[in-house]
Amino acid sequence: MLPTEHRLRRREDFATAVRRGRRAGRPLLVVHLRSGATDPYAPGESVPPSRAGFVVSKAVGGAVVRNKVKRRLRHLMRDRIALLPPGSLVVVRALPQAGDADHVQLAQDLDAALERLLGGGAR
């Protein structure tokens, strides 16, 4: 499970990551990253932790399938959140094919997308 301090919860944070961040698309998911975004709601001058949120629409499948995909993505992101710059906002949007994918396929797509965003790979 992704710790509470690393979860995106507010609509404004999701919108900031999607509208102002960089995007990397893969066959199973799209990852939006806003690097080092400061949180105007955080008290003090400290840098907030990196946070991640997930968007899994009904196009992915029924409630059971959507929740399975979200659980898998949260588990995968838990191990990768330390790779992100402090204060980063990440939104992982699952595409319809993610409902039929297994854990390994989701991990490969997530790793490839994050590597492209963090490494500045060619588009």
Side-chain angles (χ1 to χ4, degrees):
M1 183 64 76
L2 193 63
T4 304
E5 66 270 7
H6 292 293
R7 295 185 198 163
L8 275 184
R9 295 179 187 258
R10 292 193 307 265
R11 180 181 180 146
E12 302 86 33
D13 293 337
F14 277 88
T16 299
V18 171
R19 291 185 183 143
R20 296 186 181 157
R22 295 179 59 209
R23 180 182 72 217
R26 304 296 304 158
L28 301 177
L29 44 88
V30 177
V31 178
H32 299 269
L33 172 68
R34 170 96 170 146
S35 293
T38 57
D39 185 358
Y41 302 104
E45 303 262 338
S46 65
V47 178
S50 300
R51 294 179 292 152
F54 306 93
V55 178
V56 183
S57 73
K58 288 184 179 180
V60 173
V64 173
V65 174
R66 291 194 313 269
N67 285 324
K68 179 176 71 171
V69 170
K70 279 188 276 192
R71 282 194 310 271
R72 286 179 175 176
L73 290 172
R74 276 197 306 262
H75 176 75
L76 292 169
M77 197 53 144
R78 179 186 67 185
D79 299 332
R80 292 156 178 83
I81 198 84
L83 302 174
L84 302 173
S88 295
L89 303 177
V90 178
V91 173
V92 180
R93 183 167 48 95
L95 297 176
Q97 298 86 355
D100 298 327
D102 63 3
H103 190 77
V104 174
Q105 292 170 319
L106 285 172
Q108 289 172 344
D109 273 10
L110 183 60
D111 286 338
L114 286 174
E115 184 173 334
R116 181 170 155 194
L117 290 170
L118 294 173
R123 290 187 172 206

